[in-house]
Amino acid sequence: MDIIANAGELWSKPCHLFAVIYGVKVSRLKHDMHSLKKGPILVKECVAKIKGTCDLLEAFGHPISTVDQIDIVLVGISVEFDSMLTMASFSFEPLTIEWLVNILLECEHSQQIFVSEVSVQVNLV
């Protein structure tokens, strides 16, 4: 009986260590995703990072709901997208992540066109 009890104790230590490491990894992934700043990087890259982290968390058994994914995208959004945040806040329809990403990409594209037009005009002057 001592061998079985000792084997059980021996096995419980690695299981406990794995659970601690696993918990830390999940917490770290959630923290990194929530603290991702969207300002200097492109929307597509930002959403890809968020989706990748959500996929990892789902694989770990900690899925992130669509509503939470949308909140994560909107929370750290840069000032240039404030109009999108306002529009999303007053939407009567439930937001989908695809709709939000498409709107943000369109907004980002419009901003890039505006910046390139302004820089061409400045160069002409």
Side-chain angles (χ1 to χ4, degrees), residues 31-77:
H31 177 275
D32 289 349
M33 183 172 54
H34 284 280
S35 63
L36 180 66
K37 297 296 176 204
K38 284 86 178 171
I41 63 173
L42 297 173
V43 170
K44 193 173 186 178
E45 294 171 8
C46 172
V47 171
K49 287 181 182 182
I50 290 171
K51 292 295 272 176
T53 304
C54 287
D55 291 345
L56 274 174
L57 286 167
E58 187 170 352
F60 279 137
H62 293 268
I64 305 295
S65 71
T66 301
V67 172
D68 288 341
Q69 289 180 39
I70 290 169
D71 287 344
I72 291 165
V73 171
L74 291 175
V75 164
I77 209 163

Side-chain angles (χ1 to χ4, degrees), residues 71-125:
D71 287 344
I72 291 165
V73 171
L74 291 175
V75 164
I77 209 163
S78 65
V79 209
E80 294 87 19
F81 297 102
D82 276 352
S83 59
M84 297 300 107
L85 180 58
T86 303
M87 187 174 70
S89 299
F90 289 108
S91 174
F92 291 112
E93 298 288 323
L95 296 177
T96 64
I97 193 77
E98 293 81 14
W99 181 85
L100 178 62
V101 169
N102 287 337
I103 293 296
L104 291 175
L105 288 171
E106 283 294 322
C107 185
E108 182 179 67
H109 180 69
S110 297
Q111 290 171 0
Q112 289 171 344
I113 289 172
F114 176 75
V115 167
S116 67
E117 287 175 358
V118 167
S119 65
V120 166
Q121 290 174 0
V122 168
N123 287 336
L124 289 176
V125 172

